[in-house]
Amino acid sequence: MNWKELYQERLTSAEEALKHIPDGGRVVTGHAVGEPAYLMTVMAENKEWFHNVEVCHMVSLGKDEYCQEGMEGHFHHNALFVGANTKKAVNDGRGDYTPCFFYEIPRLFESELPVDVALIMVTPPDENGKVSLGVSVDYTKDAAKNAKIVIAQVNDQMPYTYGDSFMDVSEIDYFVEHSAPLPELKPAVLGDVEKAIGANCASLIKDGDTLQLGIGAIPDAVLLCLKDKKNLGIHSEMFSDGVVELVEAGVVNGSAKQLLPGKMVANFLMGTKRLYDFVDHNKDVAMYPADYTNDPVVVAKNDHIICINSCVQVDLMGQACSESVGLKQISGVGGQVDFVRGASMAAHGISILAFPSTAAHGKISKIVPFLDEGAAVTTSRNDIDYVITEYGIAPLKGKTLRQRAKLLISIAHPDFRPGLIAEFEKRFHCTYEA
Ligand code: COA
């Protein structure tokens, strides 16, 4: 049977395909913009067909009807990263969070987290009978490779990407055709604080560096400050519209990269239609699974890699919590530690944690004497490199506890410095001198 006949034979409705999810089984769904929202909606609409099904994923951008109130007994969420839509379910007990480095997630599906059914979203097959996983290769490819059953939403609006993003039609058990626009994340609105942080981060970036950046106001602010740089490269877990602008301005070309020169490397993509159009059939964009992009050893092959991430709070020793407010899980480690460690191992690598000095409209300092009770240490004090706020840059690597505390106080919001200084003087039995 050729691939076209196989595809036709395996083409079915969402309802028919989803009936193969076993009671008590584990379903892994595609990530972020690559989430097969249609399949997940149909699954939740027919909740009475399913009993004690675990639904496992990282960020989701759909409605996540399956983990709303009233779904108990039918579905339970296992979060590998807590997102805006799943936060309530996890904190209300309809879900659980599994701590895990992003680069290890693909391997979890080979062993600790066996997959019964993978729900993924793919492009229509190309002339060779290959589908592309488009904007979500990350853990999605390995979840599918290890699943007993693979159900794919075939979306002709999914961009066709290159790299290690392909699956053969024969590797997918059921195809459900459903065209839908991808979710779009609009660029963040930048205030003076974000712009100052962006400028501080950009002051550490040199021509020819390779960048890892996340999504949101701070990465956008950093990218805005890079318009005069040359020959920058991208090796990241994800990138967004800000990178497209720098490619079009001739700033990002990857010419100085040691690993995959000329290629923008990522494992997932999130942004607007402009980004999705840019990556579609673009051979300069190389999408790989997270156990490659995020493996610290692979990250370290990029000399001069600069990794910029954010956190919830940092204590005076330089321990950073990036995923919970106290015990309340609000996100996950994601790829933060993968890149922090990769940058440490790279020749001339730098990792930066950048964040506004305060949260809650200035009421809470993000630089604190102690992390909140119950807060997870995401990036340890041994791993931390540079901390940046709108007030400056604190280079912590190789510094004593006393030096770290002093540097961190110098970039805290002035309103909170007296309290931090009092803690400094108590802890180190000495007078604080700026
Ligand atoms: N105390 C109490 N609440 C705090 C806080 C603090 N110190 N810092 C942040 N918050 C609250 C905010 O008020 C906000 O609450 P809301 O959702 O009710 O508005 C929420 O936590 C998120 O904070 P915000 O500043 O909007 O987050 P962000 O979009 O800048 O993201 C992280 C910051 C840390 C959550 C995010 O960078 C992350 O998840 N990092 C870990 C993963 C990672 O680094 N991956 C690699 C890059 S993709």
Side-chain angles (χ1 to χ4, degrees):
M1 198 184 284
N2 66 34
W3 73 259
K4 286 184 183 156
E5 291 162 343
L6 194 60
Y7 180 79
Q8 285 306 320
E9 190 181 88
R10 295 182 176 186
L11 199 55
T12 185
S13 66
E15 287 78 0
E16 282 306 317
L18 292 166
K19 282 183 182 158
H20 295 275
I21 296 175
D23 285 351
R26 173 174 294 119
V27 171
V28 178
T29 64
H31 182 215
V33 177
E35 179 183 75
Y38 173 65
L39 296 179
M40 292 172 76
T41 299
V42 174
M43 182 177 80
E45 280 171 357
N46 294 290
K47 64 176 182 180
E48 64 283 356
W49 296 349
F50 307 105
H51 302 97
N52 301 318
V53 170
E54 180 189 290
V55 183
C56 181
H57 55 81
M58 286 183 76
V59 175
S60 78
L61 298 174
K63 297 195 190 107
D64 292 302
E65 300 96 331
Y66 80 87
C67 69
Q68 307 305 320
E69 281 172 43
M71 292 291 174
E72 295 87 345
H74 301 290
F75 304 106
H76 186 83
H77 177 39
N78 183 354
L80 305 177
F81 189 99
V82 175
N85 301 337
T86 52
K87 196 160 48 179
K88 193 162 182 334
V90 169
N91 290 297
D92 286 356
R94 292 188 304 284
D96 284 301
Y97 172 68
T98 300
C100 47
F101 296 123
F102 198 172
Y103 87 98
E104 288 184 332
I105 292 177
R107 290 177 215 161
L108 289 180
F109 298 135
E110 289 171 16
S111 49
E112 292 84 356
L113 296 180
V115 186
D116 290 296
V117 179
L119 300 183
I120 64 174
M121 187 157 75
V122 300
T123 63
D126 63 16
E127 62 284 3
N128 300 312
K130 306 266 183 215
V131 296
S132 169
L133 292 164
V135 293
S136 166
V137 176
D138 41 57
Y139 65 77
T140 306
K141 183 165 185 179
D142 286 79
K145 292 259 175 195
N146 287 292
K148 293 188 189 121
I149 296 172
V150 183
I151 304 173
Q153 175 181 337
V154 181
N155 186 353
D156 58 6
Q157 299 188 52
M158 172 71 111
Y160 182 100
T161 61
Y162 296 99
D164 186 9
S165 65
F166 299 106
M167 288 184 71
D168 201 272
V169 159
S170 63
E171 295 177 289
I172 295 171
D173 300 285
Y174 300 100
F175 294 97
V176 176
E177 291 180 346
H178 184 85
S179 179
L182 300 190
E184 293 190 58
L185 274 92
K186 300 287 174 212
V189 180
L190 304 182
D192 291 343
V193 168
E194 288 78 16
K195 286 181 187 159
I197 296 168
N200 285 337
C201 293
S203 71
L204 298 177
I205 298 172
K206 297 183 292 306
D207 292 345
D209 283 349
T210 293
L211 307 179
Q212 175 260 328
L213 296 154
I215 192 164
I218 290 168
D220 285 356
V222 175
L223 291 168
L224 263 187
C225 298
L226 299 179
K227 297 228 160 99
D228 297 329
K229 306 280 181 198
K230 292 188 195 69
N231 303 328
L232 297 180
I234 302 294
H235 181 107
S236 194
E237 67 186 39
M238 59 87 57
F239 65 85
S240 196
D241 292 52
V243 166
V244 180
E245 220 151 281
L246 290 185
V247 173
E248 287 170 357
V251 173
V252 167
N253 58 27
S255 60
K257 288 175 79 189
Q258 292 77 33
L259 185 69
L260 297 168
K263 302 279 185 204
M264 284 165 266
V265 176
N267 69 56
F268 73 102
L269 301 162
M270 279 202 290
T272 68
K273 188 159 183 311
R274 182 183 182 196
L275 173 74
Y276 308 143
D277 289 344
F278 171 80
V279 301
D280 187 33
H281 287 94
N282 183 342
K283 289 203 165 149
D284 293 338
V285 176
M287 301 294 290
Y288 285 92
D291 58 354
Y292 175 74
T293 57
N294 284 35
D295 182 339
V297 174
V298 174
V299 173
K301 290 185 180 164
N302 296 283
D303 295 353
H304 300 276
I305 186 154
I306 315 278
C307 303
I308 304 178
N309 293 293
S310 198
C311 67
V312 173
Q313 55 182 193
V314 173
D315 73 12
L316 285 180
M317 296 191 280
Q319 308 190 99
C321 168
S322 310
E323 51 186 296
S324 66
V325 175
L327 267 179
K328 190 175 167 202
Q329 194 75 37
I330 61 158
S331 70
V333 59
Q336 181 165 124
V337 176
D338 304 344
F339 280 93
V340 165
R341 294 205 168 137
S344 299
M345 288 154 63
H348 317 290
I350 287 179
S351 77
I352 296 170
L353 287 184
F355 51 87
S357 63
T358 60
H361 309 289
K363 290 197 208 82
I364 298 174
S365 176
K366 288 171 78 91
I367 295 178
V368 287
F370 302 96
L371 297 182
D372 286 358
E373 190 179 8
V377 176
T378 309
T379 295
S380 86
R381 61 187 189 173
N382 310 297
D383 286 318
I384 201 143
D385 196 349
Y386 285 85
V387 177
I388 291 183
T389 69
E390 69 275 28
Y391 292 102
I393 303 175
L396 299 191
K397 186 158 272 185
K399 299 292 193 299
T400 65
L401 292 174
R402 188 190 306 238
Q403 290 167 329
R404 283 158 183 253
K406 218 169 151 183
L407 283 162
L408 287 165
I409 291 169
S410 75
I411 62 162
H413 192 286
D415 289 355
F416 293 96
R417 287 183 203 169
L420 294 167
I421 289 170
E423 173 61 27
F424 177 95
E425 294 187 339
K426 187 170 131 210
R427 195 177 293 185
F428 298 106
H429 312 289
C430 65
T431 308
Y432 174 89
E433 282 166 30

